[in-house]
Amino acid sequence: MVTAQTPENEKVTDFFNNIRPAGAQVFPGFSPENAVSGNRNSIAAYADAELEVTDGWLLEGALRYENYSDFGSTFNYKVATNVKLAPNLNWRGAVSTGFRAPSLAQIYYSSTSTLIQQGVTTQVGTFRNNSEAAQALGIPKLKQETSQSYSTGITWKIPALSLTFTADAYLIKIKDRVVLTDLFYRPDGSFTPGSDQAVLQNAFDLARASAANFLPMQ
């Protein structure tokens, strides 16, 4: 346990030698207010083709169509190639796109846990992205994650030694990544019934929380 009297050399540091704050988190369990029913339907079709242009050049292509009942339709593709540069040396590369709809847990999950940091105890509620509390705070609705991926690499065989070397490099760009927000704290005071502040206060009361976080798009 880390306290104010803990020696500096016994405290945990990060990669840059900055002292990490001490903390713990306790989960008391789910309450009836956390219960929810959610569902999703999806259909998909996938096509893949390969073409051996020459003895030393292979082309590959793939298409995927998918339709989600809650996130619409998407087309994604992949184009890849493999070129024999020498009898035992090959180069390969690929370009592709990706699509990931937020999981049902990311949309509907909620809970309250006890967060202890540097001796301070905070009841933290994780509210659903489509909750009234999220709307009152202006938290944007979850969007699908999309990505663009590039890769390149080589393979080199040394038959006399029964060795194979491979080296690959990847670049993946992700848009609208789903991550947790920082903490929002419970509003204090009295507010006009029906106002955003009153909605927030009621949500915090139901969750028995003094702080909250959400899963928005990032």
Side-chain angles (χ1 to χ4, degrees), residues 12-104:
V12 178
T13 58
D14 59 19
F15 184 77
F16 300 101
N17 290 322
N18 297 316
I19 295 176
R20 295 176 59 86
Q25 190 165 16
V26 181
F27 178 55
F30 294 104
S31 67
E33 290 79 11
N34 298 129
V36 67
S37 176
N39 63 79
R40 163 188 294 159
N41 296 316
S42 68
I43 58 173
Y46 181 83
D48 189 310
E50 292 185 0
L51 175 63
E52 194 169 350
V53 182
T54 68
D55 289 341
W57 181 20
L58 177 68
L59 278 177
E60 298 178 72
L63 284 174
R64 180 183 179 88
Y65 167 81
E66 194 157 9
N67 178 269
Y68 292 85
S69 58
D70 50 357
F71 283 93
S73 302
T74 176
F75 266 107
N76 291 283
Y77 68 86
K78 179 179 180 179
V79 178
T81 187
N82 191 309
V83 179
K84 182 177 289 188
L85 302 177
N88 294 306
L89 180 64
N90 292 284
W91 169 80
R92 59 193 178 196
V95 177
S96 63
T97 60
F99 180 101
R100 192 191 75 85
S103 67
L104 291 180

Side-chain angles (χ1 to χ4, degrees), residues 132-143:
E132 290 184 343
Q135 295 171 15
L137 283 169
I139 301 295
K141 289 186 177 180
L142 285 171
K143 291 180 63 178

